[in-house]
Amino acid sequence: MKKVAAVVLATAMTVPLITGCGAVTLPTDSTAETTVKELGPARAQDDFFRFVNQDRFNTSEFKYGDTTVEVAFKTDLIDEQIEKIIDDCAAGKGFAKGSEEDLIKYAYDSFSSYDFDNTPIPEDLMAIIESVDKANSVSELLDVDARIYKEYNTGGFFNIKPGVNPLNPTERVMVMDQLPGILNTSFEDIRDNQYQINNISRTGQMILATRGYDKKIAEEYANGLAKRALDLYSATNMDVVDDGMSFKFQKIMTSDEFKKVMSNIDVDKYLTGIGISKTVTKKYCVTDEGQLKAINDLFVEENLNALKTWELGMLYNKYMRYIAPHYTQFEKYVSVSYKSMHDQAIDEISQTFFKQTDPIYVERHYSPETDKALRSMCDDIKGGYRKIIKNASWLSEETRAELLRKLENIVYVTAKDMKRHDNAEYVNIYGKNYYEFCINYSKLNLKKELDKFNNQEPVSRTEMGMPMQMMNACYDPGYNNITITAAITNDPFFNVDADYYTNLGGLGAVIAHEMGHAFDSNCIVFNSKGQYAPSWIPEQDMNTLKERNEKAAKYFEEKFTIFGVYHVDGEQTLGENYADLGGIECVTSLCKTKENRIKLFESYATIWCEMSSDEAIINQIAYDVHSPSYIRVNAILASIDEFYETYDVKEGDGMYIAPEDRVSRWY
């Protein structure tokens, strides 16, 4: 067994976790600093979250290093399904050239045979690294950065890319998202501990040492980058980091306005170097204008060596596995996988080539029957919202009519929309080895995105925004669509053969939550066409909405605690709490009997059955827009009148909230 795989800098390189609307927690009840109160069996009337999930909690354990235990749904199932797909492709033969199966097979074989330890650093990679060293001016370095972006897909200095105007989704614009950090030390890390800035310096010094820089010079250049990173952090709006609805901060700039801010950069030349046509580049979407100005200020000649260190860091980070084995400087700062070659290949292909495994996953694990049942349930939920909105007497007729138009305009994106790629596009990307294959694959995918922009292709509302093998669902306010992946149509969320009301309390509640985002405190400012237009809401209705928002924020902030101590931020979590509350009000309205409500409520509590470490929960409360699972179940159901009727909840019970203190999204 060879000790190969992705090699990462332990001091700086991190792997982000992708999350959707999920939140995790297991509440505990401490009576003193040194004693823990043993919790007896829970009653539905006192703690519904624990009443439904206690047996699952009792049989679940944290694995070493984990901060979360996935109790409701075992993602290992999806991992096993993807592994089976890769194994079948690797063992197969006679696949069409350029097909998903053939690409997976070639990736598996070429990765398994690539000797990362002993194969020299690829010549073209060394050449581009040397071109960074040789840059004699900021202008020359920007030319190199544009080439690296285009040929090596690092994203470049500016995190700029072709995209869609989130405030008017019929337009293709250049998007400059907020820069999250430098050399994989995030600004969140620096906020939590400013000593994290030292990671940038240490990483920079290691990289420069491999380029033959004198220790004193390497320290000077790397420290210079760390100081500039601190300047950039100081100019960064951290509210953008913490707010999942970044459209609050996004600004659309004309080309002239953008160039005026980015006065130190020849913007047209840079974009042309990437492969963007300047003739169609009319607008830019900027998430953090203050940070944008600070980025521009970095690109002056006195910062050239710090910028070169940054550029080298981006290249090293993306291609570290090909570089690290050849430099002793990384020996103490890299981790090496000791998994079997098969397991390494599975991990690699799952992460790098998910676009190829995705359509095969859908073909194997998503049936027409499932799609029919899923879309039918979506229509039922839309019907529930239709009736609720029509009966919301506190809305003016004008606002009600627009909300109903928005509701009817919501489209569903499911795995039914998944299509295989055109084999002809991929027949020439194989290369001589795994490195060349990955480079060519990356170039092709980037070119596809550039072509969409350069050709100003019409924007599709049914374009998939996430892999179908990812267990998730989401609402996009610009597209006014709901994406529901194939993976989330597994138990306990959904089973085509299960009872309807069990499914309704599971995936149905998730879909109702996502549909509810169309009307939450954040997304309601998008009109029925998906345009960001806060002024569409009449002043009287806006004032009423603000009053209801204040009461709801106070409810979630004051009525429920975690560990008996911590309170969620009612304003920070209001959008997600409203989506939960409106979603449950909607699906509950579809249940006409006590028996069906029991199935719905217990299924709802089940899908949020997850456990997290204390530290993870506290961090979630501090920064996450989602409330912990305990609150997403108990605080929501405690405001649903039908829950009281179903479980005979009375004053004095733990779940009881006085009627005048309960909140509602619609009633």
Side-chain angles (χ1 to χ4, degrees), residues 328-621:
T328 58
Q329 287 86 352
F330 294 118
E331 286 181 353
K332 295 181 180 179
Y333 298 96
V334 297
S335 61
V336 181
S337 175
Y338 289 89
K339 289 184 177 181
S340 69
M341 180 52 62
H342 169 268
D343 288 347
Q344 291 181 49
I346 295 297
D347 290 345
E348 173 71 14
I349 295 167
S350 297
Q351 295 171 22
T352 307
F353 298 97
F354 61 86
K355 289 184 179 179
Q356 275 53 61
T357 59
D358 218 28
I360 304 173
Y361 178 86
V362 169
E363 290 165 6
R364 292 189 181 187
H365 302 290
Y366 190 79
S367 68
E369 292 76 20
T370 295
D371 192 77
K372 182 179 179 180
L374 177 61
R375 288 177 179 269
S376 176
M377 188 167 68
C378 288
D379 287 340
D380 290 345
I381 292 167
K382 185 179 282 190
Y385 271 115
R386 187 182 300 119
K387 184 175 181 180
I388 287 173
I389 294 172
K390 285 181 178 179
N391 292 332
S393 59
W394 52 276
L395 291 171
S396 68
E397 288 301 323
E398 179 184 357
T399 299
R400 182 184 294 106
E402 179 66 3
L403 290 180
L404 287 170
R405 280 191 290 269
K406 186 174 185 178
L407 174 70
E408 301 304 336
N409 199 32
I410 292 174
V411 297
Y412 322 130
V413 181
T414 71
K416 180 183 179 182
D417 302 301
M418 170 66 69
K419 295 179 177 63
R420 282 180 172 251
H421 65 233
D422 181 356
N423 293 356
E425 295 180 324
Y426 290 82
V427 293
N428 295 318
I429 72 166
Y430 289 78
K432 294 182 294 186
N433 55 39
Y434 186 70
Y435 168 78
E436 290 188 8
F437 180 57
C438 287
I439 289 287
N440 293 338
Y441 179 77
S442 180
K443 282 182 184 178
L444 177 60
N445 285 328
L446 177 60
K447 183 178 183 301
K448 286 183 176 183
E449 295 305 310
L450 298 181
D451 287 347
K452 286 181 184 178
F453 181 82
N454 289 333
N455 298 329
Q456 289 292 291
E457 293 181 10
V459 179
S460 170
R461 292 178 65 204
T462 58
E463 188 170 327
M464 293 181 181
M466 66 180 74
M468 287 292 109
Q469 64 207 43
M470 175 189 293
M471 195 197 75
N472 210 344
C474 71
Y475 171 76
D476 188 300
Y479 292 136
N480 196 26
N481 68 12
I482 298 171
T483 300
I484 308 157
T485 69
I488 203 171
T489 60
N490 279 294
D491 284 326
F493 289 85
F494 188 85
N495 185 326
V496 70
D497 297 320
D499 175 83
Y500 175 81
Y501 294 97
T502 299
N503 282 338
L504 189 64
L507 184 52
V510 173
I511 293 167
H513 167 104
E514 300 303 339
M515 204 173 291
H517 272 308
F519 317 108
D520 72 16
S521 56
N522 294 312
C523 300
I524 198 170
V525 294
F526 284 78
N527 63 23
S528 61
K529 298 178 182 178
Q531 298 168 326
Y532 181 69
S535 61
W536 84 259
I537 305 175
E539 182 179 0
Q540 179 181 348
D541 283 331
M542 180 59 76
N543 290 336
T544 302
L545 285 167
K546 288 179 179 178
E547 291 175 4
R548 293 172 69 93
N549 290 352
E550 290 172 2
K551 180 178 180 180
K554 185 176 180 181
Y555 170 84
F556 287 102
E557 193 164 289
E558 295 182 358
K559 297 295 183 184
F560 295 84
T561 61
I562 303 298
F563 308 138
V565 176
Y566 296 101
H567 298 257
V568 299
D569 185 320
E571 183 177 350
Q572 173 180 293
T573 58
L574 183 59
E576 293 296 332
N577 288 337
Y578 258 162
D580 281 340
L581 184 59
I584 287 298
E585 287 179 336
C586 175
V587 294
T588 300
S589 73
L590 302 177
C591 294
K592 303 305 180 185
T593 69
K594 178 178 179 180
E595 178 185 14
N596 290 336
R597 287 197 297 266
I598 289 174
K599 294 174 183 176
L600 181 136
F601 292 142
E602 293 193 2
S603 182
Y604 177 69
T606 298
I607 65 172
W608 293 119
C609 181
E610 295 177 314
M611 300 190 298
S612 285
S613 67
D614 293 359
E615 182 181 4
I617 297 170
I618 292 169
N619 285 337
Q620 179 187 354
I621 291 170

Side-chain angles (χ1 to χ4, degrees), residues 37 76 80 90-91 126 161 212 230 233 240 261 276 336 340-341 396 464 501 512 516 533 547 575 581:
K37 179 182 177 181
D76 290 349
E80 291 167 2
M126 281 302 302
K161 58 185 177 294
L230 196 56
Y233 163 72
V240 177
V261 175
I276 295 291
V336 181
S340 69
M341 180 52 62
S396 68
M464 293 181 181
Y501 294 97
E547 291 175 4
L581 184 59

Side-chain angles (χ1 to χ4, degrees), residues 120-252:
I121 298 174
E123 291 182 5
D124 65 295
L125 184 57
M126 281 302 302
I128 199 69
I129 289 172
E130 289 169 1
S131 70
V132 176
D133 282 330
K134 293 176 181 177
N136 292 315
S137 66
V138 169
S139 177
E140 286 184 18
L141 182 60
L142 285 170
D143 291 343
V144 174
D145 183 70
R147 180 185 164 198
I148 291 172
Y149 185 123
K150 183 177 182 179
E151 298 182 8
Y152 295 88
N153 202 10
T154 62
F157 283 123
F158 307 118
N159 202 24
I160 192 168
K161 58 185 177 294
V164 176
N165 183 349
L167 309 184
N168 186 7
T170 61
E171 293 183 321
R172 292 194 181 275
V173 299
M174 292 302 295
V175 176
M176 191 162 176
D177 289 328
Q178 187 184 59
L179 198 69
I182 289 181
L183 292 193
N184 281 330
T185 295
S186 72
F187 294 137
E188 287 183 272
D189 292 337
I190 295 172
R191 174 181 62 185
D192 294 339
N193 181 358
Q194 290 209 4
Y195 287 106
Q196 292 287 333
I197 202 76
N198 295 329
N199 284 341
I200 296 175
S201 179
R202 285 194 293 268
T203 301
Q205 289 178 56
M206 283 189 291
I207 290 169
L208 293 172
T210 68
R211 304 302 307 139
Y213 284 83
D214 173 83
K215 182 178 180 181
K216 185 176 180 181
I217 294 297
E219 184 176 353
E220 176 188 339
Y221 292 175
N223 284 343
L225 177 60
K227 291 176 182 177
R228 301 292 76 79
L230 196 56
D231 292 340
L232 197 56
Y233 163 72
S234 299
T236 297
N237 183 353
M238 296 304 291
D239 288 341
V240 177
V241 177
D242 298 330
D243 195 321
M245 295 296 178
S246 59
F247 60 79
K248 294 178 180 178
F249 307 97
Q250 287 164 339
K251 179 178 180 179
I252 302 300

